Amino acid sequence: MAGSDLFTGSLDLLLLKAVTWGPRHGYAIARWLREQTGDTLPIHEGVLYPALHRLERKGYLDEEWGPTESNREAKFYRLTPGGRAALRAATARWRLYAGVMNAALEARRGP
Amino acid sequence: MKRRFRWSHGHQEVDADVQRELDFHVDERRREFAAQGLSSTAADRAAIDAFGDRSHIESEVRMLRRETVRSRERRSHWHDIRQDLQIATRGLRRTPGFTVVALLTLALGIGANSAVFSVVDGVLLRPLPFPASGQLVQLWSDHRARGRAEPEWLTPPDFADWRDQNTTFSSMGTYQNWGPTLTGAGEPAALNGLAVSGDFFRTLGIAPELGRTISSDDDNPGVEPVVVIGDALWRGRFGGDLTILNRQVQLNGQSWRVVGVMPPSFRAPLPAPIAVFRAARRPAGTCGRGCIVLRAVGRLKPGVTLAQAQADIGGIARHDATTFPATNKDVGAWLIPLHEQITGPTRRPLLALTTAVALVLLIACVNLANLLLLRGEARAREFAVRAALGAGRGRLVRQLVTEGLLLASIGGVLGLAVAAAGSHWLAAVVPPIVQQLQGVNLSAAVVAFTAIVSIAAGLLFTLLPAVRSTGYDQLGLLRSGLRAGSPHRNRIQQLLVTGQLALAVILLTGAGLLIRSLVAMERVDLGYRTTGLLFDIVTLPAAQYAPATITPTMNTVVDRLRANPAVRSAELVDQPPLSTGDQDMTAIPLGEPFDVDAPPALWYRSRRPGICD
């Protein structure tokens, strides 16, 4: 279901990126995704949560309950050093992949 | 500390945590829709739709979350153990005197136990090296009703009745000593041999390494004489040559064809390794019911108990006793499991040793408990500070137990080294036959035993001091800075000292009794003076000394000894006085015809008149 139209791993990459500015709660991350992608991501918002918890299980994210700007209790996700390294590696892989794909798709000469 | 409390959640807390997180999201979304101007019900609807399949997502997150919590709890557990170990190591380094004394005590205490266990394991617990060795039984005749306390060998006709009439054995084999001289293959050599029945090897269940074993056909009169040789003789004398099969060897001046070689692991259930086996080949009718010459071993049928077999063979013996009263009156059957037959004599000394070393370890533990109690008093301030910093009593007890277990583990490893050295020395208490058949070594079982003993010892000597040292008013102590021992603790200490004394007394009494019986044994009046008495064995190889020359040669030996000014007297005897191992023979009254069923054997020793001087 969800994520099937996304390139494999791209949601994880975006989630890790979302917390590079500091600890964020799930709703803030969802809002950021909506804004950044112009609401084009073909997924339900709830799908973020299994993805976030999977990243936490891998040790890329850490969590803590804390107050929001509006002083409500929410669970905040923080990037761990391991998560930062994983983000760096995945970003490099993504750039290489995208670059190669772009170059191929914009080719001027046919086979 | 705080972190750990956060993580130790049960399933319910995890589930509530997940629900709260997802509720927060939906609620925030609803507010956003409402802020955009949607009615309260429409905003509700939109938020729920945007979220997706809530129940599916929630159960997935719950599972992930439980996994995370579990793995973090495990990690934090390991973290605590590592921390305890680090603190323990530091603590032990700070008090090197205590640490060295404790380690030495433990190494000796645990080592002694492991060494004795290695012998107990090798000798008493391990089965004999024969297939289904629990079925093997040594068969003896029982002459107790006639006043001979030891089990006795069998006569050929009695054995034949037992073998042919029993219903409880799958096979029975006999063996007799045979001491041939090997010639024609280097230096002449006197060999340890056995004359065996065709069922001997089948009963033991051992196949040859090369060729075949002795079969029942080899027992028939007139067939070609054949031998099976042991691995040591094959490699030692014949260089492990594979062409040994069918080669002729000279034994006692006669030619024998080699038909088989036994594997190196094979040992006959006898004290000395056997180099050569031949068929018994007893000419029919030359040895009757008075002729006690056979030793026999039998293999029980599967599922048959020793008691059933004893009843079975006992019945046959009773029948023979009434049928042949002249020879068999009061002669019964005596069945002893082969394992007991071989290891029996070592059982009592090993049990005594086991008890003694267990007591030594107990004393060591009490000693260490006492030392730790004193140390705990000295460290009272350290514990008070840690308690004030938030360490619970459980954590402090755990810290002390970790220290004890660390000590015991190192002590156990050192103990294994002690055992490795000690078990060789201890093996000397085991008769050679048991050593050859069973062997004493540091097996996996010994290592496992050492580990268990070490942990048990560690818990034994730490738990009490740990509970005591942490069990009083930490804060009050910290405030007052006093190091007063509570009256409670003094009582415990008195108990420990009393226990230690009691154990030591038991051990000393045991050791004293042992020494007294050893001394008493030394002082037993043998009926002759042993001072200045020397004994040696002279062997004359049959190949070099014809029967007629033996007596003159031995006389020359004695004469030369007598000529020596340092020797007051010298004499020949076939067995040293008061040793076991009588010769036996059948007495035939002079002038009467030879009767194979002659009345019972005599046990005799040849001696010469001068021996009593």
Side-chain angles (χ1 to χ4, degrees), chain B residues 228-276:
Chain B
V228 169
I229 63 173
D231 183 80
L233 180 68
W234 178 47
R235 288 182 200 281
R237 280 281 167 155
F238 302 104
D241 188 351
L242 288 169
T243 64
I244 186 70
L245 289 185
N246 296 323
R247 201 194 285 183
Q248 299 285 336
V249 295
Q250 296 293 313
L251 295 170
N252 286 347
Q254 200 193 342
S255 209
W256 301 74
R257 186 164 64 90
V258 176
V259 294
V261 177
M262 294 311 289
S265 59
F266 172 71
R267 295 268 180 193
L270 286 164
I274 301 298
V276 56

Side-chain angles (χ1 to χ4, degrees), chain B residues 115 118-119 418-429 435 440-442:
Chain B
S118 72
V119 179
V418 171
S423 68
H424 285 289
W425 177 77
L426 260 183
V429 306
Q435 281 185 45
V440 168
N441 47 37
L442 290 184

Side-chain angles (χ1 to χ4, degrees), chain B residues 205-490:
Chain B
I206 303 287
E209 190 171 24
L210 288 176
R212 63 174 177 91
T213 55
I214 302 294
S215 78
S216 307
D217 291 339
D218 298 320
D219 241 345
N220 295 331
V223 301
E224 177 196 14
V226 296
V227 287
V228 169
I229 63 173
D231 183 80
L233 180 68
W234 178 47
R235 288 182 200 281
R237 280 281 167 155
F238 302 104
D241 188 351
L242 288 169
T243 64
I244 186 70
L245 289 185
N246 296 323
R247 201 194 285 183
Q248 299 285 336
V249 295
Q250 296 293 313
L251 295 170
N252 286 347
Q254 200 193 342
S255 209
W256 301 74
R257 186 164 64 90
V258 176
V259 294
V261 177
M262 294 311 289
S265 59
F266 172 71
R267 295 268 180 193
L270 286 164
I274 301 298
V276 56
F277 302 85
R278 69 164 167 89
R281 288 164 66 90
R282 178 159 295 280
T286 58
C287 196
R289 290 188 194 270
C291 177
I292 302 180
V293 293
L294 293 181
R295 272 176 288 173
V297 62
R299 182 177 282 280
L300 295 172
K301 284 179 182 165
V304 171
T305 65
L306 185 72
Q308 288 167 336
Q310 175 69 52
D312 180 25
I313 305 293
I316 302 171
R318 261 194 307 284
H319 182 259
D320 280 353
T322 48
T323 319
F324 312 103
T327 51
N328 284 43
K329 190 169 178 293
D330 293 331
V331 176
W334 193 343
L335 272 50
I336 301 176
L338 193 61
H339 189 270
E340 187 184 325
Q341 177 77 42
I342 287 171
T343 64
T346 55
R347 192 162 302 209
R348 273 167 171 280
L350 279 182
L351 275 179
L353 267 177
T354 308
T355 318
V357 291
L359 277 176
V360 167
L361 185 59
L362 262 180
I363 293 178
C365 283
V366 175
N367 233 325
L368 285 174
N370 227 334
L371 277 176
L372 278 176
L373 213 55
L374 289 171
R375 206 167 114 92
E377 213 161 305
R379 293 169 74 187
R381 279 187 71 87
E382 174 196 334
F383 289 135
V385 169
R386 290 196 62 195
L389 289 177
R393 185 176 173 198
R395 185 69 206 264
L396 288 181
V397 169
R398 222 179 69 185
Q399 175 61 52
L400 283 170
V401 171
T402 307
E403 243 177 65
L405 286 180
L406 181 68
L407 268 178
S409 309
I410 302 173
V413 172
L414 294 175
L416 264 185
V418 171
S423 68
H424 285 289
W425 177 77
L426 260 183
V429 306
V430 179
I433 176 178
V434 179
Q435 281 185 45
Q436 280 157 16
L437 277 170
Q438 299 290 72
V440 168
N441 47 37
L442 290 184
S443 59
V446 176
V447 175
F449 172 85
T450 307
I452 292 169
V453 166
S454 305
I455 291 168
L459 289 178
L460 200 65
F461 71 74
T462 41
L463 269 182
L464 186 69
V467 171
R468 281 296 151 233
S469 303
T470 56
Y472 47 90
D473 178 16
Q474 309 278 5
L475 280 176
L477 197 79
L478 189 61
R479 259 185 240 114
S480 68
L482 285 177
R483 287 214 258 139
S486 68
H488 202 54
R489 200 129 56 92
N490 288 337

